[in-house]
């Protein structure tokens, strides 16, 4: 037997033993997940499902795209619900219309016009996968890759991925590590780190979709959102950042004092920026990138269940998306379709695009280390 085959068998046994030994952690809590439905070989690499538990939270994560499949959190009465949209099997992920559910997205989150940018005076060209543009790392971006499982415990999962030089057009071989941890403080944390052997660009995030009432449990327009930001990034009709920062004052984008997501979303016909996004699909400025301090990016509350989510990060921005394009074609793990504006995403990231020189740099050079932190903190209204 070849060494590669032996290695694949060992990895398969490891993943199966971990998933099967923990199969009751999420089953029966709030998400009907069977780890057998995630046991699949893709591109010669073994995929599995991993269950985490700590305190009041339970989570399920797959190494296919480093995706959060399930995240169970209690409401004000202690009743748990799965607040992250996901699917019941790998096959459902592979055939889904929405391809970013719960995934780690990279090398660059967002859109790059025509896939072109300049790096140290040299023109670079990325693959095209969104009309005439490059989006979210390309067709075979990090969301569509099988990550290596480095360690798996009851409360943490460490994954790694090597993105080779030229993958999706990006220069440099990038070594990436992702660490998911459930804490006893009702946090799900994600640490992403990377190094490169050649100057490149990087801006990673997780693209989970949330509904604090539970997956498939109706509209999120009554959720109360707070974003402590004075500025958001203007976009053109292709949702490409123009490089201009707009004040939120007097606009539908002002969430500084907290308001329902649906309060001003109906102004999309009269507000160009809302119209371009088909709703909310813009990046907010949180701070200057020089500071590595972890700060509050957003707070969301579901008034009915009392669930409260605080998203914290060391990034310079956060992107708010109100799920403007879901049409009910994808059916989640709870057997309910994903409908228009029944979930939201808060993608922490640096608010730049590689073509906007006035924004914080996305360049990573050899010898440097990229690190980004995301904290999803859950609590309840009294």
């Amino acid at each position: 037997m070849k060494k590669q085959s032996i290695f694949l068998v060992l990895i398969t046994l490891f993943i199966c033993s971990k998933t099967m030994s923990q199969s009751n952690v999420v089953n029966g809590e709030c998400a009907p997940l069977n780890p057998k439905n995630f046991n699949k070989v893709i591109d010669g690499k073994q995929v599995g499902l991993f269950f985490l538990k700590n305190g009041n939270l339970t989570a399920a994560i797959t190494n296919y795209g480093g995706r959060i499949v399930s995240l169970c959190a209690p409401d004000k009465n202690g009743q748990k619900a799965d607040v992250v949209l996901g699917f019941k099997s790998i096959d459902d992920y592979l055939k889904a219309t929405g391809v970013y559910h719960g995934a780690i997205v990279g090398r660059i989150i967002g859109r790059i016009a025509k896939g072109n940018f300049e790096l140290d005076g040299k023109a670079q060209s990325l693959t095209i996968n969104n009309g005439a543009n490059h989006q979210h790392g390309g067709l075979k971006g990090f969301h569509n890759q099988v990550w290596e499982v480095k360690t798996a415990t009851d409360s943490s999962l460490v994954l790694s991925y090597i993105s080779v030089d030229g993958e999706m057009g990006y220069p440099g071989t990038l070594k990436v590590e992702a660490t998911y941890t459930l804490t006893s403080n009702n946090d799900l944390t994600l640490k992403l780190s990377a190094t490169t052997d050649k100057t490149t660009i990087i801006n990673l995030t997780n693209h989970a979709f949330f509904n604090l009432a539970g997956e498939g449990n109706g509209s999120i327009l009554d959720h109360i959102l707070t974003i402590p930001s004075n500025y958001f990034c203007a976009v053109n009709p292709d949702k490409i950042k123009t490089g201009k920062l707009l004040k939120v004052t007097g606009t539908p984008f002002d969430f500084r004092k907290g308001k329902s997501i649906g309060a001003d979303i109906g102004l999309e016909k009269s507000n160009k920026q809302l119209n371009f996004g088909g709703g909310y699909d813009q990046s907010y400025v949180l701070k200057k990138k020089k500071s590595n301090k972890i700060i509050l990016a957003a707070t969301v509350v579901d008034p009915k269940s009392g669930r409260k989510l605080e998203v914290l990060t060391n990034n310079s921005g956060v992107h708010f998306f109100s799920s403007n394009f879901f049409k009910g074609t994808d059916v989640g793990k709870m057997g309910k379709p994903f409908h228009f504006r029944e979930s939201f995403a808060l993608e922490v990231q640096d608010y730049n695009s590689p073509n906007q020189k006035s924004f914080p740099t996305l360049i990573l050079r050899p010898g440097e280390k990229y690190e980004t932190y995301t904290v999803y903190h859950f609590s309840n209204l009294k």
Side-chain angles (χ1 to χ4, degrees), residues 330-343:
D330 291 333
V331 177
K333 56 186 174 295
M334 309 303 290
K336 300 176 182 179
F338 297 157
H339 286 301
F340 179 69
R341 292 177 181 165
E342 289 192 354
S343 62

Side-chain angles (χ1 to χ4, degrees), residues 27-133:
N27 288 355
E29 287 270 9
C30 70
L33 290 168
N34 186 339
K36 291 182 179 179
N37 295 331
F38 288 80
N39 185 13
K40 191 180 186 74
V41 175
I42 300 176
D43 297 332
K45 300 177 181 179
Q46 181 65 44
V47 175
L49 184 66
F50 299 83
F51 297 108
L52 308 181
K53 182 176 177 63
N54 200 348
N56 294 320
L57 302 181
T58 57
I61 298 167
T62 176
N63 59 319
Y64 176 64
R67 297 169 185 268
I68 303 171
V69 175
S70 168
L71 181 56
C72 297
D75 65 8
K76 59 187 176 183
N77 299 314
Q79 185 69 33
K80 286 190 175 182
D82 194 339
V83 298
V84 167
L85 274 60
F87 298 101
K88 68 180 184 300
S89 70
I90 282 296
D91 289 339
D92 282 354
Y93 279 102
L94 293 174
K95 68 182 182 182
T97 302
V99 299
Y100 302 109
H101 283 290
I104 296 170
V105 177
R107 291 185 193 187
I108 293 288
I109 180 71
R111 296 169 178 84
I112 299 175
K114 298 182 180 179
N116 295 328
F117 69 99
E118 189 178 280
L119 183 60
D120 289 344
K122 183 179 179 181
Q124 305 285 339
S125 183
L126 305 176
T127 60
I128 302 302
N129 64 317
N130 179 252
N133 306 310

